[in-house]
Structures are given as structure tokens and as C-alpha cells.
Amino acid sequence: MRIALVGCGAVTQAVYVPLLSRRRDLFEVSAVCDLSRTLADAVGDRLGAARRYTAVADLLADGGFEAVVVLASGSHGETVRQALAAGYAVLCEKPLALTRAEVAALPEGRLMVGYMKQYDPAVRRAEEVLAELGGPEAIRAVEVTVLHPSGESQLAFANLTQAGDVDAGLLASLRAAERDLVSRALGEEAPEQVRHLYGVALGSICHDLSLMRRFTGSPAEISYVDMWGPRQAPSRSPAPCRYRAASPSAGTTWRTTPPTARPWPSTTTGVRWSSSSPRRT
């Protein structure tokens, strides 16, 4: 299959380039695109992609591939919309979007979001064991603890090519547009701690959520969300998100500890959800 890559940053260089290099029998990268020509050239050289672009519209207009892999940072909603509208199949890294409006604007097409952990051999084995125990109905409670590493520690081995050739004004406008999308999702008055948590949820915890849905089905209710740490007192507020659960008796406690390099060094987030009538044990 001939594919095009949109975004040539850290994830592309550290994860996708090695994988695609090993599976040239399945995939031919015919074009790459990034705001940075330096990054586009670096990834294009490693994958043998002759065509390099700095604008998604030009990439899609020229074509010459069957699918688009969207790997850029931030919301992918508009890029995915354009690719689907042009008739391409799309594999999109998370997050697909930052707002529901972006998702609602997507046309019909072949789209997959890259929740790759669902296909890990350990996950598939866990599903087999769960089926032997009686399936999702056998689950009473789940506890998840994530010790989240810093981006620096995850990428220290990767020897990444850095971009220094993108106009500072363009970068500032893109950051402002992304902040506006987050404000539309959370409200203009959302504090920085909540914005930070939203980013962690969409960029990391979403993988764990996808596994929870695979094991237990979607939760019926998010009953509370707590944030605590040395710089703030514990706070509690209801989250108005309700789901239909495949496992009506399952409750979940969630804790994720962000890396110390982030803005709130020791902040821990706890999330619990369950159906409206949890089973007593």
C-alpha cells in the first residue's frame, strides 16, 4: 500500500520510521509532509519518499497514494477532514480532535484512530482469560495506576532531528488556535490544571481507556474526578458523562502520576467510574 505521512516529529521519527522501514513489503511511503522542511527531508530520506511537502493541501492535491497517516501534534480534526473528503483512507494518531464539533464535521470514510495497545499480545491473552472466567460480567472492580514518564525520558534514545525552520509567527498562531479549541471544549474559564489534565487524558490516558472499553465495555457513569498534589487542595466535581456499560457491576479507580518535568510536579489524578447500581462485595 502506498501511504503519505503528515507530521514528521518525535513520534514519527522514534516509532513509525523504524516500523515502516521494517515493513517495506507492506507499505511504500510515497510522500511526507511537515511544516518544517528540515523534518520532511529527514524522514523522507530515511523512508525513501521522493516527494516532500510543507502544506497538507498540496500533498492531498498531488495524490499518488492510497492512505494518509496523520501524525502531527495537536488536534487532527481538520487534517483528517480534508483527507477523508479527498477520498483517502486515514490512520490517525490520538487525539482525533479536541472538540465534538470537529468530529461531527468529519465526512464518511475509512478512518481508524491508532489505539495500538488493543492489539498487544498481552491484551489479547487477557481477553482470552477473561472469557474463560465469564466475560465482562465477572469483573467487580479494576484499579489502574500509571507512572507517567516525561517526554524527554521516553525519547532520549531516539536521536531526533530537530526543527528550527518554521516561522515563529505561524507556530504562535497554531498554538493560539489549539488553545481556542480547548476553550471550546472546556469553557473559556477552565483553569490551567484542568487544561493540563485534558491534554494528559487525550494524549496518554486515552490508551488505557481504550483497553478498559475492550475488557468491560464503556462505563455507565463517571462519578467523580479528584486532583491532588502539594500545590493545591483536593477538589471534587461531578463529570456529566454517562455511558452504557457492558459490565454493569464493574467499578474502576484510576490514578496517573505525571512526570516531574510537567507544570504541576507531583500532581496525581484519580478517576473512578461505575454504573448507577454497583454490586456490593
Side-chain angles (χ1 to χ4, degrees), residues 135-140 215-220 244-251 274-275:
E137 293 293 335
I139 298 177
R140 301 279 186 98
F215 292 141
T216 68
S218 294
R244 180 72 60 186
S247 177
S249 60
S274 64
S275 69

Side-chain angles (χ1 to χ4, degrees), residues 21-44:
S21 296
R22 291 202 297 267
R23 297 316 309 259
R24 294 180 189 269
D25 57 319
L26 296 177
F27 303 104
E28 174 191 344
V29 180
S30 59
V32 298
C33 179
D34 195 278
L35 290 174
S36 166
R37 182 66 192 223
T38 298
L39 295 188
D41 285 341
V43 171

Side-chain angles (χ1 to χ4, degrees), residues 117 145-157 196 200 203-205 208 256-262 265:
K117 295 184 180 182
T145 299
V146 181
L147 300 178
H148 203 295
S150 66
E152 293 79 5
S153 65
Q154 293 184 75
L155 296 171
F157 71 95
H196 170 68
V200 172
S204 179
I205 297 176
D208 302 292
T256 178
T257 304
T260 56
R262 296 203 177 184

